[in-house]
Amino acid sequence: MSYDRALTVFSPDGHLFQVEYAMNAVKRGSTVVGVRGKNVVVLAAEMKQAQELQNMRTVRKILTVDAHVALAFAGLQADARVLINKSRLQCQSHRLTVEDAPKVEWVARTIAETQQKYTARGGRRPFGIATVIAGHDMDGTPQLWQTDPSGNYSSWKATVTGRNSKSVRELLEEEYEAGMTETDSVRVACRALLETAERGAKGIEVAVLAHGKAMKMLDAETIEKVCTEIAEEDAADDTVASS
């Protein structure tokens, strides 16, 4: 029997190959980083080179799910569009039913449940994306969650998914500090992405989420300035180390 073609059939050693193939699609996707600071959450994503005549506004890796929640993804763009639209409708339904904004954990759990459903029914395939979800609860607590194609979800202080995630995660473990300010959080996110970004600062987009405020996308000049400062610091450290 071909276990890699049957979505709902386990292989003899307990694998669901279609789910693993979906995770491989995530590993081939652009790198996405999330960093939780003291009062903010920062999402940063690598942007690939657009076509000369393409409108970059229509190609985004960081999108809003609700007024206080944003999502970045790695993997298949079309799958992300469908999953994000489903998530937005579920958030609106929650507001109509409960008359209150959904918690970030609820949003993450809802997205993970949708992803899990597509691993357990025939005639479908898993979503080929992993998501990093950021936002604030009603009491102002910053939240950072991650989901994967299997439907698993978990909370993080700082996380990464996509291409070269292993090496970037090691850097985050070294650079992350509890209670970081917005400036420090943005710097750590940019430093992590510079490890893999093929286009350097030009290939990075960064979003900052603060409690009670709309998601703020940093402009190209601000990102370029932060990346230049990081490069100067690294050059100074190399000079000190070699002397």
Side-chain angles (χ1 to χ4, degrees), residues 44 185-194 204 206 223 226-227 230:
S185 299
V186 170
R187 185 183 296 272
V188 169
C190 289
R191 182 184 291 276
L193 273 188
L194 285 174
I204 296 175
V206 180
I223 297 173
V226 172
C227 293
I230 292 172

Side-chain angles (χ1 to χ4, degrees), residues 28-39:
R28 295 167 62 90
S30 302
T31 311
V32 172
V33 173
V35 178
R36 190 179 75 192
K38 182 178 181 181
N39 299 312

Side-chain angles (χ1 to χ4, degrees), residues 26 29-33 73-74 130-132 146 159-163 165 169:
V26 171
S30 302
T31 311
V32 172
V33 173
F73 67 90
T131 67
V132 178
Q146 181 175 340
T159 188
V160 58
T161 188
R163 185 168 55 88
S165 59
R169 191 178 304 279

Side-chain angles (χ1 to χ4, degrees), residues 167-185:
S167 60
V168 176
R169 191 178 304 279
E170 292 174 352
L171 186 145
L172 285 174
E173 291 172 353
E174 295 176 0
E175 296 288 334
Y176 180 83
E177 296 179 1
M180 291 191 298
T181 63
E182 177 181 333
T183 301
D184 293 335
S185 299

Side-chain angles (χ1 to χ4, degrees), residues 28-214:
R28 295 167 62 90
S30 302
T31 311
V32 172
V33 173
V35 178
R36 190 179 75 192
K38 182 178 181 181
N39 299 312
V40 300
V41 188
V42 175
L43 293 176
E46 179 185 359
M47 294 291 293
K48 294 183 178 180
Q49 178 68 50
Q51 299 295 321
E52 184 176 352
L53 301 179
Q54 189 176 21
N55 185 347
M56 282 301 296
R57 292 182 59 190
T58 63
V59 184
R60 290 291 186 186
K61 301 289 290 186
I62 304 174
L63 299 163
T64 56
V65 177
D66 201 57
H68 64 301
V69 181
L71 177 152
F73 67 90
L76 303 179
Q77 186 101 19
D79 285 15
R81 183 188 70 249
V82 172
L83 186 60
I84 291 170
N85 285 339
K86 286 177 177 289
S87 304
R88 286 170 173 168
L89 286 173
Q90 289 165 332
C91 288
Q92 292 172 15
S93 177
H94 182 280
R95 285 179 176 271
L96 287 171
T97 304
V98 183
E99 297 184 358
D100 207 350
K103 290 186 176 181
V104 183
E105 179 183 0
W106 182 92
V107 177
R109 183 173 69 250
T110 301
I111 291 174
E113 287 174 352
T114 302
Q115 289 178 294
Q116 194 278 333
K117 288 178 182 178
Y118 280 70
T119 70
R121 298 180 182 178
R124 299 181 177 183
R125 64 164 175 79
F127 285 98
I129 67 166
T131 67
V132 178
I133 304 158
H136 289 76
D137 288 339
M138 296 297 291
D139 61 359
T141 304
Q143 298 282 347
L144 182 66
W145 292 78
Q146 181 175 340
T147 73
D148 61 40
S150 69
N152 186 39
Y153 70 103
S154 52
S155 178
W156 295 80
K157 297 176 182 177
T159 188
V160 58
T161 188
R163 185 168 55 88
N164 297 326
S165 59
K166 183 177 179 180
S167 60
V168 176
R169 191 178 304 279
E170 292 174 352
L171 186 145
L172 285 174
E173 291 172 353
E174 295 176 0
E175 296 288 334
Y176 180 83
E177 296 179 1
M180 291 191 298
T181 63
E182 177 181 333
T183 301
D184 293 335
S185 299
V186 170
R187 185 183 296 272
V188 169
C190 289
R191 182 184 291 276
L193 273 188
L194 285 174
E195 290 290 306
T196 61
E198 298 176 352
R199 299 168 55 214
K202 295 181 180 180
I204 296 175
E205 68 170 343
V206 180
V208 178
L209 290 96
H211 179 54
K213 298 180 181 179

